[in-house]
Amino acid sequence: MLALLYTSLMPIQDKNGRALSTAEVCSKVRTRLKTIFLEIWTGFLWWGVGFLPFHTLRRFFYRLSGMKIGPKSTIHMMARIYYPAGISIGKGTLIGERVSLDGRRQLPNSKGGLQIGNHVDIASEVMIWTSEHDIRSSEMKTIEERVVIGDYVFIGPRAIIMPGVIIGEGAVIAAGAIVTKDVEPYQIVAGVPAKVIDQRPKTAINYCLGRPRLFQ
């Protein structure tokens, strides 16, 4: 009732100057409140949980947030987590410090989310994105596209994985590479943008990664 009275006396406009109906205003208010809550929780994960020097505690809070983490998988300290409910990690996977993991799938009909397989080794400061802006859109609309990383993949330090990319089993991403297209199983890619430079033998992926470093 209050929203109806307010909108009739002082019409509310969107960022493009279009007057909003009462239903649209109520919807935007609900969305904004939800967004604020998610931002507060994200900040807690970054600045509170991310600096806890205990793997078990970090895993507890990440799982509490909706992230699926398999047995013996670890995310090291100071990770930047976006929308943990959209992230799935298999077993025996090690993820280095200061990584960015983007699980966003919040838009209507979103195809976003992040799936990481088993025994994946992700080095420090890697960034994996599932959300970006459409630079061809007059409104810079947001696009969310799923990223899938197969089993036994190795991603070197400071590599960047862009939205919509699928990385096949056993592939290797060199340090500093920017991956904008799918990577086939066992391929080794490097560069900006990443290109195939070699092939990894299939016999090289029969292993389990070592234990995570304590207090990191």
Coordinates of all heavy atoms in Angstrom, one line a residue, residues 74-165:
T74 N 40.6 -28.9 -1.2 CA 40.9 -27.7 -0.4 C 41.0 -26.5 -1.2 O 41.6 -26.5 -2.3 CB 42.2 -28.0 0.3 OG1 42.1 -29.1 1.2 CG2 42.6 -26.8 1.1
I75 N 40.5 -25.4 -0.7 CA 40.7 -24.1 -1.2 C 41.6 -23.3 -0.2 O 41.3 -23.1 0.9 CB 39.4 -23.3 -1.4 CG1 38.5 -24.1 -2.3 CG2 39.7 -21.9 -2.0 CD1 37.1 -23.5 -2.4
H76 N 42.8 -22.9 -0.7 CA 43.7 -22.2 0.2 C 43.2 -20.8 0.5 O 42.2 -20.3 0.0 CB 45.1 -22.2 -0.4 CG 45.8 -23.5 -0.3 ND1 45.7 -24.5 -1.2 CD2 46.7 -23.9 0.6 CE1 46.4 -25.5 -0.8 NE2 47.1 -25.2 0.3
M77 N 44.0 -20.1 1.3 CA 43.5 -18.8 1.9 C 43.4 -17.7 0.9 O 43.9 -17.7 -0.2 CB 44.5 -18.4 3.0 CG 44.5 -19.2 4.3 SD 45.7 -18.7 5.5 CE 45.1 -17.1 5.9
M78 N 42.5 -16.7 1.3 CA 42.3 -15.5 0.6 C 41.7 -15.6 -0.8 O 41.9 -14.9 -1.7 CB 43.7 -14.7 0.4 CG 44.2 -14.2 1.8 SD 45.9 -13.5 1.7 CE 46.9 -15.0 1.6
A79 N 40.8 -16.7 -0.9 CA 40.1 -16.9 -2.2 C 39.0 -15.8 -2.3 O 38.4 -15.4 -1.3 CB 39.5 -18.3 -2.2
R80 N 38.7 -15.4 -3.5 CA 37.5 -14.6 -3.8 C 36.4 -15.4 -4.4 O 36.6 -16.0 -5.5 CB 37.9 -13.5 -4.8 CG 38.9 -12.4 -4.2 CD 38.3 -11.6 -3.2 NE 39.2 -10.6 -2.6 CZ 39.1 -9.3 -2.9 NH1 38.3 -8.8 -3.8 NH2 40.0 -8.4 -2.3
I81 N 35.4 -15.6 -3.6 CA 34.3 -16.5 -4.0 C 33.1 -15.7 -4.4 O 32.6 -14.8 -3.6 CB 33.9 -17.5 -2.9 CG1 35.1 -18.2 -2.4 CG2 32.8 -18.4 -3.4 CD1 35.8 -19.1 -3.3
Y82 N 32.5 -15.9 -5.6 CA 31.3 -15.2 -6.1 C 30.2 -16.3 -6.2 O 30.4 -17.2 -6.9 CB 31.5 -14.5 -7.4 CG 32.6 -13.4 -7.4 CD1 33.9 -13.8 -7.6 CD2 32.2 -12.1 -7.3 CE1 34.9 -12.8 -7.6 CE2 33.2 -11.1 -7.4 CZ 34.5 -11.4 -7.5 OH 35.5 -10.5 -7.5
Y83 N 29.1 -16.1 -5.5 CA 28.0 -16.9 -5.5 C 28.4 -18.4 -5.3 O 28.3 -19.2 -6.3 CB 27.2 -16.8 -6.8 CG 25.8 -17.2 -6.7 CD1 24.9 -16.5 -6.0 CD2 25.4 -18.4 -7.4 CE1 23.5 -17.0 -5.9 CE2 24.0 -18.8 -7.3 CZ 23.1 -18.1 -6.5 OH 21.8 -18.5 -6.4
P84 N 28.7 -18.8 -4.1 CA 29.2 -20.1 -3.8 C 28.2 -21.2 -4.1 O 28.6 -22.4 -4.5 CB 29.5 -20.1 -2.3 CG 28.8 -18.9 -1.8 CD 28.7 -17.9 -2.9
A85 N 26.9 -20.9 -4.1 CA 25.9 -22.0 -4.4 C 26.0 -22.5 -5.8 O 25.5 -23.5 -6.1 CB 24.5 -21.4 -4.1
G86 N 26.7 -21.7 -6.7 CA 26.8 -22.1 -8.1 C 28.1 -22.8 -8.4 O 28.4 -23.1 -9.6
I87 N 28.9 -23.2 -7.3 CA 30.2 -23.8 -7.5 C 30.2 -25.3 -7.0 O 29.7 -25.6 -5.9 CB 31.3 -23.0 -6.8 CG1 31.4 -21.6 -7.3 CG2 32.7 -23.7 -6.9 CD1 32.3 -20.7 -6.5
S88 N 30.7 -26.2 -7.9 CA 30.8 -27.6 -7.5 C 32.3 -28.0 -7.7 O 32.8 -27.8 -8.8 CB 29.9 -28.4 -8.4 OG 30.1 -29.8 -8.2
I89 N 32.9 -28.6 -6.7 CA 34.3 -29.1 -6.8 C 34.3 -30.6 -6.4 O 33.7 -31.0 -5.5 CB 35.2 -28.3 -5.8 CG1 35.1 -26.8 -6.1 CG2 36.6 -28.8 -5.8 CD1 35.8 -25.9 -5.1
G90 N 35.0 -31.4 -7.2 CA 35.1 -32.8 -7.0 C 36.0 -33.2 -5.9 O 36.4 -32.4 -5.0
K91 N 36.5 -34.4 -5.9 CA 37.4 -34.9 -4.8 C 38.8 -34.8 -5.2 O 39.2 -34.7 -6.3 CB 37.0 -36.4 -4.6 CG 37.4 -37.3 -5.7 CD 37.0 -38.8 -5.4 CE 37.3 -39.7 -6.6 NZ 36.9 -41.1 -6.3
G92 N 39.6 -34.6 -4.1 CA 41.1 -34.6 -4.3 C 41.6 -33.4 -5.0 O 42.7 -33.5 -5.6
T93 N 40.9 -32.3 -5.1 CA 41.3 -31.1 -5.8 C 41.9 -30.1 -4.9 O 41.5 -29.8 -3.8 CB 40.1 -30.5 -6.5 OG1 39.7 -31.3 -7.6 CG2 40.3 -29.1 -7.1
L94 N 43.0 -29.5 -5.4 CA 43.7 -28.4 -4.6 C 43.7 -27.1 -5.4 O 44.0 -27.0 -6.6 CB 45.2 -28.8 -4.4 CG 45.5 -30.0 -3.5 CD1 47.0 -30.3 -3.4 CD2 44.8 -29.9 -2.2
I95 N 43.2 -26.1 -4.7 CA 43.1 -24.7 -5.3 C 43.9 -23.8 -4.5 O 43.8 -23.7 -3.2 CB 41.6 -24.3 -5.3 CG1 40.8 -25.3 -6.1 CG2 41.4 -22.9 -5.8 CD1 39.3 -25.1 -6.1
G96 N 44.8 -23.0 -5.1 CA 45.8 -22.2 -4.5 C 45.2 -20.9 -3.9 O 44.0 -20.6 -4.1
E97 N 46.1 -20.2 -3.2 CA 45.7 -19.0 -2.5 C 45.4 -17.8 -3.5 O 45.9 -17.8 -4.6 CB 46.7 -18.5 -1.5 CG 48.0 -18.1 -2.1 CD 49.0 -19.2 -2.1 OE1 48.6 -20.4 -2.0 OE2 50.2 -19.0 -2.3
R98 N 44.5 -16.9 -3.1 CA 44.1 -15.7 -3.9 C 43.4 -16.1 -5.2 O 43.5 -15.3 -6.1 CB 45.3 -14.8 -4.1 CG 45.9 -14.3 -2.8 CD 47.1 -13.4 -3.1 NE 47.8 -12.9 -1.9 CZ 47.4 -11.9 -1.2 NH1 46.4 -11.2 -1.5 NH2 48.1 -11.6 -0.1
V99 N 42.8 -17.2 -5.3 CA 42.1 -17.5 -6.6 C 40.7 -16.8 -6.6 O 40.2 -16.3 -5.5 CB 41.8 -19.0 -6.7 CG1 43.1 -19.8 -6.8 CG2 40.9 -19.5 -5.6
S100 N 40.2 -16.6 -7.8 CA 38.8 -16.0 -7.9 C 38.0 -17.1 -8.5 O 38.3 -17.6 -9.7 CB 38.8 -14.8 -8.8 OG 39.6 -13.7 -8.2
L101 N 36.9 -17.6 -7.8 CA 36.0 -18.6 -8.3 C 34.7 -18.0 -8.5 O 34.1 -17.5 -7.5 CB 36.0 -19.8 -7.4 CG 37.3 -20.5 -7.1 CD1 37.1 -21.6 -6.1 CD2 37.9 -21.0 -8.3
D102 N 34.1 -18.0 -9.7 CA 32.9 -17.3 -10.0 C 31.8 -18.3 -10.3 O 31.9 -19.0 -11.3 CB 33.1 -16.4 -11.2 CG 31.9 -15.5 -11.5 OD1 30.9 -15.7 -10.8 OD2 31.9 -14.7 -12.5
G103 N 30.8 -18.4 -9.4 CA 29.7 -19.4 -9.6 C 28.4 -18.8 -10.0 O 27.4 -19.4 -9.9
R104 N 28.5 -17.5 -10.4 CA 27.2 -16.8 -10.6 C 26.3 -17.4 -11.7 O 26.7 -17.7 -12.7 CB 27.5 -15.3 -11.0 CG 27.9 -14.5 -9.8 CD 28.3 -13.1 -10.2 NE 29.6 -13.1 -10.8 CZ 30.3 -11.9 -11.1 NH1 29.7 -10.8 -10.8 NH2 31.5 -12.0 -11.6
R105 N 25.0 -17.5 -11.2 CA 24.0 -18.0 -12.1 C 22.7 -17.4 -11.6 O 21.7 -18.1 -11.3 CB 23.9 -19.5 -12.1 CG 23.8 -20.2 -10.8 CD 23.7 -21.7 -10.8 NE 23.4 -22.3 -9.5 CZ 23.5 -23.5 -9.2 NH1 24.0 -24.4 -10.1 NH2 23.1 -24.0 -8.0
Q106 N 22.6 -16.1 -11.5 CA 21.5 -15.4 -10.9 C 20.5 -14.8 -11.8 O 19.4 -14.5 -11.4 CB 22.1 -14.3 -10.0 CG 23.0 -14.8 -8.9 CD 23.8 -13.7 -8.2 OE1 24.9 -13.4 -8.6 NE2 23.3 -13.1 -7.2
L107 N 20.9 -14.7 -13.1 CA 20.0 -14.1 -14.1 C 18.9 -15.1 -14.4 O 19.1 -16.3 -14.4 CB 20.8 -13.7 -15.3 CG 21.9 -12.6 -15.1 CD1 22.6 -12.4 -16.5 CD2 21.3 -11.3 -14.7
P108 N 17.7 -14.6 -14.9 CA 16.7 -15.5 -15.4 C 17.2 -16.3 -16.6 O 17.9 -15.8 -17.4 CB 15.6 -14.5 -15.9 CG 15.8 -13.3 -15.1 CD 17.3 -13.2 -14.9
N109 N 16.9 -17.6 -16.6 CA 17.4 -18.5 -17.6 C 18.9 -18.6 -17.7 O 19.5 -18.8 -18.8 CB 16.8 -18.2 -19.0 CG 15.3 -18.2 -19.0 OD1 14.6 -19.0 -18.4 ND2 14.7 -17.1 -19.5
S110 N 19.6 -18.4 -16.6 CA 21.1 -18.3 -16.6 C 21.7 -19.7 -16.9 O 21.1 -20.7 -16.6 CB 21.6 -17.9 -15.2 OG 23.0 -18.0 -15.1
K111 N 22.8 -19.6 -17.7 CA 23.5 -20.8 -18.0 C 24.9 -20.8 -17.2 O 25.8 -21.4 -17.7 CB 23.8 -20.9 -19.5 CG 22.5 -21.1 -20.3 CD 22.7 -21.1 -21.8 CE 21.4 -21.2 -22.6 NZ 21.7 -21.3 -24.0
G112 N 24.9 -20.0 -16.2 CA 26.2 -19.9 -15.4 C 26.5 -21.0 -14.5 O 25.9 -22.1 -14.6
G113 N 27.4 -20.8 -13.6 CA 27.9 -21.8 -12.7 C 29.3 -22.3 -13.0 O 29.7 -22.2 -14.2
L114 N 29.9 -22.9 -12.0 CA 31.3 -23.4 -12.2 C 31.4 -24.8 -11.7 O 31.0 -25.1 -10.5 CB 32.3 -22.5 -11.4 CG 33.7 -23.0 -11.3 CD1 34.4 -23.2 -12.6 CD2 34.5 -22.0 -10.4
Q115 N 31.9 -25.7 -12.5 CA 32.0 -27.1 -12.2 C 33.5 -27.5 -12.3 O 34.1 -27.3 -13.4 CB 31.2 -28.0 -13.1 CG 31.3 -29.5 -12.8 CD 30.5 -30.3 -13.7 OE1 29.4 -30.0 -14.2 NE2 31.0 -31.5 -14.1
I116 N 34.1 -27.9 -11.2 CA 35.5 -28.3 -11.2 C 35.6 -29.8 -10.9 O 34.9 -30.2 -9.9 CB 36.3 -27.5 -10.2 CG1 36.3 -26.0 -10.6 CG2 37.8 -28.0 -10.1 CD1 36.9 -25.1 -9.5
G117 N 36.3 -30.6 -11.6 CA 36.3 -32.0 -11.5 C 37.2 -32.5 -10.4 O 37.6 -31.8 -9.4
N118 N 37.6 -33.8 -10.5 CA 38.4 -34.5 -9.5 C 39.9 -34.3 -9.8 O 40.3 -34.3 -10.9 CB 38.1 -36.0 -9.5 CG 36.6 -36.3 -9.3 OD1 36.0 -35.6 -8.4 ND2 36.1 -37.2 -10.0
H119 N 40.7 -34.2 -8.7 CA 42.2 -34.2 -8.8 C 42.7 -33.1 -9.7 O 43.6 -33.2 -10.5 CB 42.7 -35.5 -9.3 CG 42.2 -36.7 -8.5 ND1 42.5 -36.9 -7.2 CD2 41.4 -37.7 -8.9 CE1 41.9 -38.0 -6.8 NE2 41.2 -38.5 -7.8
V120 N 42.0 -31.9 -9.6 CA 42.4 -30.8 -10.4 C 43.3 -29.9 -9.5 O 43.2 -29.8 -8.3 CB 41.1 -29.9 -10.7 CG1 41.5 -28.6 -11.4 CG2 40.2 -30.7 -11.6
D121 N 44.4 -29.4 -10.2 CA 45.4 -28.6 -9.5 C 45.3 -27.2 -10.1 O 45.6 -26.9 -11.2 CB 46.8 -29.2 -9.7 CG 47.8 -28.6 -8.9 OD1 47.5 -27.6 -8.2 OD2 49.0 -29.0 -8.9
I122 N 44.8 -26.3 -9.2 CA 44.7 -24.9 -9.7 C 45.7 -24.0 -8.8 O 45.6 -24.0 -7.6 CB 43.2 -24.4 -9.5 CG1 42.3 -25.2 -10.3 CG2 43.1 -22.9 -9.8 CD1 40.8 -24.8 -10.2
A123 N 46.6 -23.4 -9.5 CA 47.7 -22.7 -8.8 C 47.2 -21.3 -8.3 O 46.0 -20.9 -8.4 CB 48.9 -22.5 -9.7
S124 N 48.1 -20.6 -7.7 CA 47.8 -19.3 -7.0 C 47.3 -18.2 -8.0 O 47.8 -18.2 -9.1 CB 49.0 -18.8 -6.2 OG 49.4 -19.7 -5.3
E125 N 46.4 -17.4 -7.6 CA 45.9 -16.2 -8.3 C 45.3 -16.5 -9.6 O 45.2 -15.6 -10.5 CB 47.1 -15.2 -8.4 CG 47.6 -14.8 -7.0 CD 48.7 -13.7 -7.1 OE1 48.6 -12.9 -8.1 OE2 49.5 -13.6 -6.2
V126 N 44.8 -17.7 -9.8 CA 44.0 -18.0 -11.0 C 42.7 -17.3 -10.9 O 42.1 -17.2 -9.8 CB 43.9 -19.5 -11.2 CG1 42.8 -19.9 -12.2 CG2 45.2 -20.2 -11.5
M127 N 42.1 -16.9 -12.0 CA 40.8 -16.3 -12.0 C 39.9 -17.0 -13.0 O 40.3 -17.2 -14.2 CB 40.9 -14.8 -12.5 CG 41.6 -13.9 -11.4 SD 41.4 -12.1 -11.8 CE 42.6 -12.0 -13.2
I128 N 38.8 -17.5 -12.5 CA 37.8 -18.2 -13.3 C 36.5 -17.5 -13.3 O 35.9 -17.3 -12.2 CB 37.6 -19.7 -12.8 CG1 39.0 -20.4 -12.7 CG2 36.6 -20.4 -13.7 CD1 38.9 -21.8 -12.1
W129 N 36.1 -17.0 -14.4 CA 34.9 -16.1 -14.5 C 33.7 -16.8 -15.3 O 34.0 -17.5 -16.3 CB 35.2 -14.8 -15.2 CG 36.3 -14.1 -14.5 CD1 37.5 -13.8 -15.0 CD2 36.2 -13.4 -13.3 NE1 38.3 -13.1 -14.1 CE2 37.4 -12.8 -13.0 CE3 35.2 -13.3 -12.3 CZ2 37.7 -12.1 -11.8 CZ3 35.4 -12.5 -11.2 CH2 36.7 -12.0 -10.9
T130 N 32.5 -16.7 -14.8 CA 31.3 -17.2 -15.5 C 30.4 -16.1 -15.9 O 29.4 -16.3 -16.5 CB 30.6 -18.2 -14.6 OG1 30.0 -17.5 -13.4 CG2 31.4 -19.3 -14.1
S131 N 30.7 -14.8 -15.5 CA 29.9 -13.7 -15.7 C 30.7 -12.5 -16.4 O 31.8 -12.3 -16.0 CB 29.2 -13.2 -14.4 OG 28.4 -12.1 -14.7
E132 N 30.1 -11.9 -17.4 CA 30.8 -10.8 -18.0 C 29.7 -9.9 -18.6 O 28.5 -10.2 -18.7 CB 31.7 -11.3 -19.1 CG 31.0 -12.0 -20.3 CD 32.0 -12.5 -21.3 OE1 33.1 -11.9 -21.4 OE2 31.7 -13.4 -22.1
H133 N 30.1 -8.7 -19.1 CA 29.2 -7.8 -19.8 C 29.3 -8.0 -21.3 O 30.3 -8.3 -21.9 CB 29.6 -6.4 -19.5 CG 29.2 -6.0 -18.1 ND1 28.0 -5.7 -17.6 CD2 30.0 -5.7 -17.0 CE1 28.0 -5.4 -16.4 NE2 29.2 -5.4 -15.9
D134 N 28.1 -7.9 -21.9 CA 28.0 -7.9 -23.4 C 28.4 -6.6 -23.9 O 27.6 -5.6 -23.9 CB 26.6 -8.3 -23.8 CG 26.4 -8.5 -25.3 OD1 27.4 -8.3 -26.0 OD2 25.3 -8.8 -25.7
I135 N 29.6 -6.4 -24.5 CA 30.1 -5.2 -24.9 C 29.4 -4.7 -26.2 O 29.5 -3.6 -26.6 CB 31.6 -5.2 -25.2 CG1 32.0 -6.3 -26.2 CG2 32.3 -5.4 -23.9 CD1 33.4 -6.2 -26.6
R136 N 28.6 -5.6 -26.8 CA 27.8 -5.2 -28.0 C 26.4 -4.8 -27.7 O 25.7 -4.3 -28.5 CB 27.7 -6.4 -29.0 CG 29.1 -6.8 -29.6 CD 29.0 -8.0 -30.5 NE 30.2 -8.4 -31.1 CZ 31.2 -9.1 -30.5 NH1 31.0 -9.5 -29.3 NH2 32.3 -9.3 -31.1
S137 N 26.1 -4.9 -26.4 CA 24.7 -4.4 -26.0 C 24.8 -2.9 -25.6 O 25.7 -2.5 -25.0 CB 24.3 -5.2 -24.7 OG 23.2 -4.6 -24.1
S138 N 23.7 -2.2 -26.0 CA 23.7 -0.8 -25.7 C 23.5 -0.5 -24.2 O 23.8 0.6 -23.7 CB 22.5 -0.1 -26.5 OG 21.3 -0.7 -26.1
E139 N 23.1 -1.6 -23.5 CA 22.9 -1.4 -22.0 C 24.0 -2.2 -21.3 O 23.9 -2.3 -20.0 CB 21.5 -1.9 -21.6 CG 20.4 -1.2 -22.3 CD 19.0 -1.7 -21.9 OE1 19.0 -2.7 -21.2 OE2 18.0 -1.2 -22.4
M140 N 25.0 -2.7 -21.9 CA 26.0 -3.5 -21.3 C 25.4 -4.6 -20.4 O 25.8 -4.8 -19.3 CB 26.9 -2.6 -20.4 CG 27.9 -1.8 -21.2 SD 29.3 -2.7 -21.9 CE 30.3 -2.9 -20.4
K141 N 24.5 -5.4 -21.0 CA 23.8 -6.4 -20.3 C 24.8 -7.5 -19.8 O 25.9 -7.7 -20.4 CB 22.8 -7.1 -21.2 CG 21.6 -6.2 -21.5 CD 20.5 -6.9 -22.3 CE 19.3 -6.0 -22.5 NZ 18.3 -6.7 -23.3
T142 N 24.5 -8.1 -18.7 CA 25.3 -9.2 -18.1 C 25.0 -10.5 -18.8 O 23.8 -10.8 -19.1 CB 25.0 -9.3 -16.6 OG1 25.3 -8.0 -16.0 CG2 25.9 -10.3 -16.0
I143 N 26.1 -11.3 -19.0 CA 26.0 -12.6 -19.6 C 26.5 -13.6 -18.6 O 27.6 -13.3 -18.0 CB 26.7 -12.7 -20.9 CG1 26.2 -11.7 -21.9 CG2 26.6 -14.2 -21.5 CD1 27.1 -11.7 -23.2
E144 N 25.9 -14.7 -18.3 CA 26.4 -15.7 -17.5 C 26.5 -17.0 -18.3 O 25.5 -17.5 -18.8 CB 25.5 -15.9 -16.2 CG 25.5 -14.7 -15.3 CD 24.5 -14.8 -14.2 OE1 23.7 -15.8 -14.2 OE2 24.6 -14.0 -13.2
E145 N 27.7 -17.6 -18.3 CA 27.9 -18.8 -19.1 C 28.7 -19.8 -18.2 O 29.7 -19.4 -17.6 CB 28.6 -18.6 -20.4 CG 27.8 -17.7 -21.3 CD 28.6 -17.5 -22.7 OE1 29.6 -16.8 -22.7 OE2 28.2 -18.1 -23.7
R146 N 28.3 -21.0 -18.2 CA 28.9 -22.1 -17.4 C 30.4 -22.4 -17.8 O 30.7 -22.5 -19.0 CB 28.1 -23.3 -17.4 CG 28.5 -24.5 -16.5 CD 27.5 -25.6 -16.6 NE 27.7 -26.7 -15.6 CZ 27.5 -26.6 -14.3 NH1 26.9 -25.6 -13.8 NH2 27.7 -27.7 -13.6
V147 N 31.2 -22.6 -16.8 CA 32.6 -23.0 -17.0 C 32.7 -24.4 -16.4 O 32.3 -24.7 -15.3 CB 33.6 -22.1 -16.3 CG1 35.0 -22.7 -16.4 CG2 33.6 -20.7 -17.0
V148 N 33.3 -25.4 -17.2 CA 33.5 -26.7 -16.8 C 35.0 -27.1 -16.9 O 35.6 -26.9 -17.9 CB 32.6 -27.7 -17.6 CG1 32.9 -29.2 -17.2 CG2 31.2 -27.4 -17.5
I149 N 35.5 -27.6 -15.8 CA 36.9 -28.0 -15.8 C 37.0 -29.5 -15.5 O 36.5 -29.9 -14.4 CB 37.7 -27.2 -14.7 CG1 37.7 -25.7 -15.1 CG2 39.2 -27.7 -14.6 CD1 38.3 -24.8 -14.1
G150 N 37.5 -30.3 -16.4 CA 37.5 -31.7 -16.3 C 38.5 -32.2 -15.2 O 39.3 -31.5 -14.6
D151 N 38.5 -33.5 -15.0 CA 39.4 -34.2 -14.1 C 40.9 -34.0 -14.5 O 41.2 -34.0 -15.7 CB 39.1 -35.7 -14.0 CG 37.7 -35.9 -13.5 OD1 37.0 -35.0 -12.9 OD2 37.2 -37.1 -13.7
Y152 N 41.8 -34.0 -13.5 CA 43.2 -34.0 -13.7 C 43.7 -32.8 -14.5 O 44.8 -32.8 -15.1 CB 43.7 -35.3 -14.4 CG 43.5 -36.5 -13.5 CD1 42.4 -37.4 -13.7 CD2 44.4 -36.8 -12.5 CE1 42.2 -38.5 -12.9 CE2 44.2 -37.9 -11.7 CZ 43.1 -38.8 -11.9 OH 42.9 -39.9 -11.1
V153 N 43.0 -31.7 -14.6 CA 43.4 -30.5 -15.2 C 44.4 -29.8 -14.3 O 44.3 -29.8 -13.1 CB 42.2 -29.6 -15.6 CG1 42.7 -28.2 -16.0 CG2 41.4 -30.2 -16.7
F154 N 45.5 -29.2 -14.9 CA 46.4 -28.3 -14.2 C 46.3 -26.9 -14.8 O 46.4 -26.7 -16.0 CB 47.8 -28.8 -14.3 CG 48.8 -27.8 -13.7 CD1 48.9 -27.6 -12.4 CD2 49.6 -27.0 -14.6 CE1 49.8 -26.7 -11.8 CE2 50.4 -26.0 -14.0 CZ 50.5 -25.9 -12.6
I155 N 46.1 -25.9 -13.9 CA 46.0 -24.5 -14.3 C 47.1 -23.7 -13.6 O 47.1 -23.7 -12.4 CB 44.6 -23.9 -14.0 CG1 43.5 -24.7 -14.7 CG2 44.6 -22.5 -14.5 CD1 42.1 -24.2 -14.4
G156 N 48.0 -23.2 -14.4 CA 49.2 -22.5 -13.8 C 48.8 -21.1 -13.2 O 47.7 -20.6 -13.4
P157 N 49.8 -20.6 -12.4 CA 49.5 -19.3 -11.7 C 49.1 -18.2 -12.6 O 49.6 -18.0 -13.8 CB 50.9 -19.0 -11.1 CG 51.6 -20.3 -11.0 CD 51.1 -21.1 -12.2
R158 N 48.1 -17.4 -12.2 CA 47.6 -16.2 -12.8 C 47.0 -16.4 -14.2 O 46.9 -15.5 -14.9 CB 48.7 -15.1 -12.9 CG 49.2 -14.7 -11.5 CD 50.1 -13.5 -11.6 NE 50.4 -13.0 -10.2 CZ 51.1 -11.9 -10.0 NH1 51.7 -11.2 -11.0 NH2 51.4 -11.5 -8.7
A159 N 46.6 -17.6 -14.5 CA 45.9 -17.9 -15.7 C 44.4 -17.4 -15.5 O 43.9 -17.2 -14.4 CB 45.8 -19.4 -16.0
I160 N 43.8 -17.0 -16.6 CA 42.4 -16.5 -16.6 C 41.5 -17.4 -17.5 O 41.9 -17.6 -18.6 CB 42.3 -15.0 -17.0 CG1 43.2 -14.1 -16.1 CG2 40.9 -14.5 -17.0 CD1 43.3 -12.7 -16.6
I161 N 40.4 -17.9 -16.9 CA 39.5 -18.7 -17.7 C 38.2 -17.9 -17.8 O 37.6 -17.4 -16.9 CB 39.1 -20.0 -16.9 CG1 40.4 -20.7 -16.4 CG2 38.3 -20.9 -17.8 CD1 41.4 -21.1 -17.5
M162 N 37.8 -17.6 -19.1 CA 36.7 -16.8 -19.4 C 35.4 -17.6 -19.4 O 35.4 -18.8 -19.5 CB 36.9 -16.1 -20.7 CG 38.2 -15.2 -20.7 SD 38.1 -13.9 -19.5 CE 36.7 -12.8 -20.1
P163 N 34.2 -16.8 -19.3 CA 32.9 -17.5 -19.3 C 32.7 -18.4 -20.5 O 33.1 -18.1 -21.6 CB 31.9 -16.3 -19.3 CG 32.7 -15.2 -18.7 CD 34.1 -15.4 -19.1
G164 N 32.0 -19.5 -20.2 CA 31.6 -20.4 -21.3 C 32.6 -21.5 -21.7 O 32.3 -22.3 -22.6
V165 N 33.8 -21.4 -21.1 CA 34.9 -22.3 -21.5 C 34.7 -23.7 -20.9 O 34.4 -23.8 -19.7 CB 36.3 -21.7 -21.1 CG1 37.4 -22.7 -21.3 CG2 36.6 -20.5 -22.0

